[in-house]
Amino acid sequence: MQKHLKRVILSIDTGYKKVAISGNGKILIGANWMSQHQEDTDIVTHELMHIVQNFKALGPEWLTEGLADCGRFQYGLNNVAADWGLPPAAPFQHYKMGYRVTARFLLWIDKYQKPNTIAMLNAKLKDDTYSSASWKEITGKTVDELWAMYLVNKDID
C-alpha cells in the first residue's frame, strides 16, 4: 500500500528565480513570479498535482506536466482571473510541448476517444508501468495517431 502525504509545505522564496517546483511534500514558488503574477494562485494547484502524482520514476516530462495542467484546468479556482487557460490547437504545436498544449490534447482524448484516459495514464506512471505502448493499450491508437485525429477535430467544448 502506498503511503500518502498528509502535510505539504508551501514556501515562497525570493532567491528562487524560476516559477515553481515541487517534490517530497514541498512546493517552492519564486517570489518574483508571484509578485508579477499575483492572481496566479493556481500555480499551487499545478504543483499539488505533482505531489499527488507521486510517481515512482520519472515519466516523459511533457506528459507529467500535461497531466498536472489537466488538474489545474479541472480543479483550479482562479484561472480566469490569472488569465490562464488552454490554448487553441494550432498546426505548429506538438503534444510533446507539454503543459497546456498537452493538457488540452489529453482532455480531448478523454472526451472524444476514450473516457478515463487521463486517469489510466496517471495510474501507469504512478505504478511505473508506463511506456509508449500504453497509449495503444488504453485507447487502441498510438499517441501519434491520436494527435493526427486531434488536429482535425480539436474541439473540447
Side-chain angles (χ1 to χ4, degrees):
M1 182 157 84
Q2 191 165 1
K3 184 180 174 185
H4 298 285
L5 293 173
K6 296 190 185 322
R7 186 176 128 180
V8 174
I9 297 169
L10 173 64
S11 302
I12 299 175
D13 186 344
T14 56
Y16 186 67
K17 301 302 179 198
K18 296 182 180 179
V19 178
I21 192 167
S22 58
N24 299 318
K26 297 177 184 174
I27 297 172
L28 178 66
I29 300 174
N32 190 40
W33 174 266
M34 284 311 302
S35 173
Q36 294 175 7
H37 303 89
Q38 294 177 18
E39 295 294 333
D40 193 15
T41 55
D42 283 314
I43 190 75
V44 175
T45 307
H46 174 99
E47 295 304 328
L48 279 170
M49 293 307 296
H50 286 312
I51 290 173
V52 170
Q53 287 170 330
N54 193 27
F55 297 150
K56 291 180 184 177
L58 293 177
E61 184 179 7
W62 60 268
L63 181 55
T64 301
E65 296 299 344
L67 288 166
D69 267 359
C70 280
R72 178 180 175 151
F73 179 78
Q74 293 177 310
Y75 305 112
L77 301 175
N78 208 40
N79 287 328
V80 173
D83 197 27
W84 186 96
L86 302 177
F92 67 86
Q93 295 171 338
H94 193 274
Y95 61 85
K96 288 186 178 180
M97 291 175 83
Y99 296 95
R100 294 187 260 185
V101 170
T102 303
R104 190 175 195 283
F105 173 53
L106 292 169
L107 290 162
W108 176 85
I109 294 169
D110 248 29
K111 184 171 183 177
Y112 292 107
Q113 295 301 307
K114 177 72 174 179
N116 299 315
T117 296
I118 292 169
M120 289 187 272
L121 286 169
N122 197 67
K124 284 190 167 289
L125 285 162
K126 198 172 195 93
D127 296 339
D128 198 22
T129 58
Y130 172 84
S131 72
S132 59
S134 298
W135 295 89
K136 193 150 185 116
E137 291 167 19
I138 293 169
T139 69
K141 297 173 182 68
T142 68
V143 67
D144 289 312
E145 290 170 333
L146 290 163
W147 182 256
M149 293 170 66
Y150 168 70
L151 289 177
V152 173
N153 173 20
K154 47 198 168 248
D155 181 31
I156 61 166
D157 296 326

